[in-house]
Each structure stands twice: as C-alpha cells, then as structure tokens.
C-alpha cells in the first residue's frame, strides 16, 4: 500500500500491517515508502519501506514552513509529514529530520530518517 514518499504507521487494528498515517503526532510511525530503501523487509511484492538513511518524504505546511534540521512527524493529511512544533506531542512520534526547505502547501523533500 502506498507510493514513494508516503508516511506509514503500524496498523493498530491488524497485526503485522502498515498503513498510511492519518493523524498528527502518531506514535505508531514506522517509516516511509521508498523505491530504493537501504534495508528491505517483508514481501518483495509490497512497497519497500525506508526506516534508516535518507529518503524523499511527502510533507505539508500544516505546522508552517519547514527548514533543514526541523523534526518531522505525521500530519492530518494521509501519508504526509509536517514540522514538529510541540516537543511533548512529538516524543515517540518523530519520523526524521528535514534536509531541505519547504514553504509550499504540499510537496516532497529529502529527509534523514531517525525514528524516535
């Protein structure tokens, strides 16, 4: 499920399944769909998930413009990340760090994946 850059979370309603993120600050964040992940897990017929290294990620401006080094978390837009502005809510819900700037409405940037 998903296309390159989609943010995925662990499905709390079904064991061993990942789905697109759909809520801000989801602590079940698992990684991002990638066409070239550093580590490949699971079925080769399923989208590959990047959980380490760098990868493109879909982002939006839900919490404002994004700058290099900003922490990214899940947003309310399915499959998209946003800048983390609430450190308390972000604890356990961090997907990674932005490696570039983004000031549009929705798009894609490169991210250093650092699940925490």
């Amino acid at each position: 499920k998903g296309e390159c850059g989609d943010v995925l979370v662990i499905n709390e309603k079904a064991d061993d399944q990942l789905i697109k993120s759909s809520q801000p600050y989801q602590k079940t964040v698992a990684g991002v769909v990638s066409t070239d992940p550093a580590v490949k897990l699971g079925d080769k017929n399923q989208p590959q998930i990047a959980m380490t290294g760098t990868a493109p990620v879909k982002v939006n401006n839900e919490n404002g413009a994004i700058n290099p080094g900003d922490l990214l978390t899940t947003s309310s837009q399915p499959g998209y990340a946003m800048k983390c502005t609430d450190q308390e809510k972000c604890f356990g819900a961090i997907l990674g760090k932005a490696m570039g700037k983004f000031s549009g409405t929705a798009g894609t940037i490169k991210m250093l994946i650092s699940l925490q």
Side-chain angles (χ1 to χ4, degrees), residues 39-108:
V39 178
K40 296 181 181 182
L41 302 173
D43 187 344
K44 291 178 184 174
N45 297 321
Q46 296 297 315
Q48 298 298 304
I49 312 306
M51 296 183 299
T52 185
T54 61
V57 63
K58 292 179 179 178
V59 293
N60 65 30
N61 64 351
E62 190 169 328
N63 272 346
I66 296 170
N67 290 301
D70 282 346
L71 295 174
L72 301 175
T73 186
T74 59
S75 74
S76 60
Q77 185 175 359
Y80 281 73
M82 67 180 179
K83 175 170 68 173
C84 172
T85 56
D86 185 326
Q87 296 298 322
E88 195 171 312
K89 286 183 181 176
C90 275
F91 184 77
I94 297 295
L95 177 62
K97 283 189 176 186
M99 294 184 70
K101 290 184 178 188
F102 180 80
S103 59
T105 303
T108 303

